[in-house]
Amino acid sequence: MEEKRKYGQLEGDVEGYGNVFVGSEDQKLHWRDCLYFTISPPHLRKPHLFPNLPPSFRETLEAYSVDLKNIVAEILRQIRKKLRMDQVIGVLPHSDFGGITILLEVNDVQGLQIKKDGLWIPIKSLPNAFIINIGGTLEILTNGTYRSIEHRVTINSLKERMSIATFCNPKMDGEIAPAPSLVTPETPAMFKRIGVVDYTKGLFMSKIGGKAHLDSMRIQNEQGKSN
Ligand SMILES: O=C(O)CCC(=O)C(=O)O
Ligand SMILES: [Fe+2]
């Protein structure tokens, strides 16, 4: 008991020997002996606790704590990887404005991702192949039959990535609207008619990105529900 008292909790502190986290008189307490103290970072060690322990116990704990820190760092690294949290976004989420984009990945560095069912999926082109992206203009012209794809590009911290994107865009003095042959009583127009200049202006002013601007041109109707 004498030894335990050496490490006893000080007034108003949860660290030390005693029952940890006692908040009120009515609280149910654990029935156990507990010596609770901070080891790391060293400047937070309470002088009467860890530094006061027998040297051999202190050394063992010190080594144990270093090993555990490495284990925790590895677990967190795996979680970050699993959730793709360590990716830096180079090209922000967007969908291309034009009809079709022909994308050539010039070197072998992966970076492009598309959004599918709410998840970002990495895309790598086949050898000697283009990646073909549908843009918002084609989605409008086809009355939503061909959907533009939301995509983004991550940065590779080790290697530079190079790509050539060629955009097939509508002429600036034109208008875009669903093709008349695709608009029927069964398949009403899903998009409003819009001048290309207004379309591009809205696109560049849109702060939300993604497909938000295209979505803002949707007509809400039974068949053409926003998706
Ligand atoms: O570099 C890429 O893979 C895509 C670039 C892109 O999405 C764009 O320029 O619109
Ligand atoms: Fe793009």
Side-chain angles (χ1 to χ4, degrees):
M1 198 59 209
E2 194 52 35
E3 190 65 11
K4 287 176 179 173
R5 219 169 269 134
K6 258 171 61 183
Y7 306 103
Q9 282 174 341
L10 301 180
E11 185 67 31
D13 194 358
V14 293
E15 291 194 43
Y17 177 76
N19 236 311
V20 194
F21 309 123
V22 181
S24 86
E25 294 277 302
D26 310 326
Q27 193 179 325
K28 275 194 179 163
L29 300 178
H30 301 297
W31 189 1
R32 65 169 180 188
D33 271 2
C34 180
L35 176 58
Y36 173 75
F37 52 86
T38 301
I39 296 184
S40 177
H43 72 271
L44 293 183
R45 291 174 182 171
K46 299 279 161 63
H48 74 296
L49 296 173
F50 184 79
N52 218 15
L53 294 172
S56 66
F57 184 36
R58 223 170 43 214
E59 275 163 30
T60 308
L61 273 185
E62 189 99 63
Y64 184 61
S65 152
V66 169
D67 285 350
L68 292 194
K69 240 170 131 174
N70 290 336
I71 291 173
V72 170
E74 181 57 21
I75 292 171
L76 294 178
R77 203 181 67 79
Q78 294 290 342
I79 291 175
R80 274 203 308 274
K81 198 170 153 201
K82 183 87 190 151
L83 298 179
R84 299 173 201 246
M85 285 165 71
D86 40 10
Q87 292 178 341
V88 178
I89 306 303
V91 179
L92 298 172
H94 67 282
S95 69
D96 295 345
F97 126 87
I100 283 177
T101 305
I102 297 169
L103 189 70
L104 178 65
E105 292 192 298
V106 178
N107 58 5
D108 210 24
V109 180
Q110 204 285 319
L112 180 66
Q113 296 180 342
I114 62 165
K115 200 171 195 180
K116 189 167 186 297
D117 303 328
L119 294 175
W120 287 106
I121 315 286
I123 297 291
K124 183 84 201 80
S125 57
L126 297 170
N128 302 315
F130 293 120
I131 291 172
I132 308 294
N133 257 351
I134 303 290
T137 300
L138 199 64
E139 179 159 347
I140 296 173
L141 283 178
T142 62
N143 202 21
T145 308
Y146 284 84
R147 311 256 302 274
S148 73
I149 190 81
E150 186 172 349
H151 55 285
R152 67 181 188 183
V153 183
T154 56
I155 285 177
N156 186 308
S157 56
L158 302 176
K159 282 190 261 164
E160 187 181 49
R161 175 174 181 274
M162 199 180 285
S163 65
I164 300 175
T166 306
F167 305 101
C168 303
N169 293 337
K171 57 182 186 333
M172 288 309 282
D173 57 353
E175 287 188 324
I176 38 181
S181 62
L182 298 177
V183 177
T184 68
E186 293 74 42
T187 56
M190 288 177 68
F191 295 94
K192 300 170 205 160
R193 171 174 294 274
I194 187 165
V196 175
V197 172
D198 289 339
Y199 178 26
T200 43
K201 261 192 210 155
L203 186 68
F204 292 123
M205 277 159 54
S206 166
K207 291 198 178 77
I208 312 172
K211 287 186 69 169
H213 181 54
L214 185 66
D215 288 342
S216 73
M217 286 182 297
R218 284 182 198 279
I219 297 170
Q220 298 291 333
N221 54 43
E222 264 316 291
Q223 287 90 336
K225 270 194 188 130
S226 208
N227 48 23

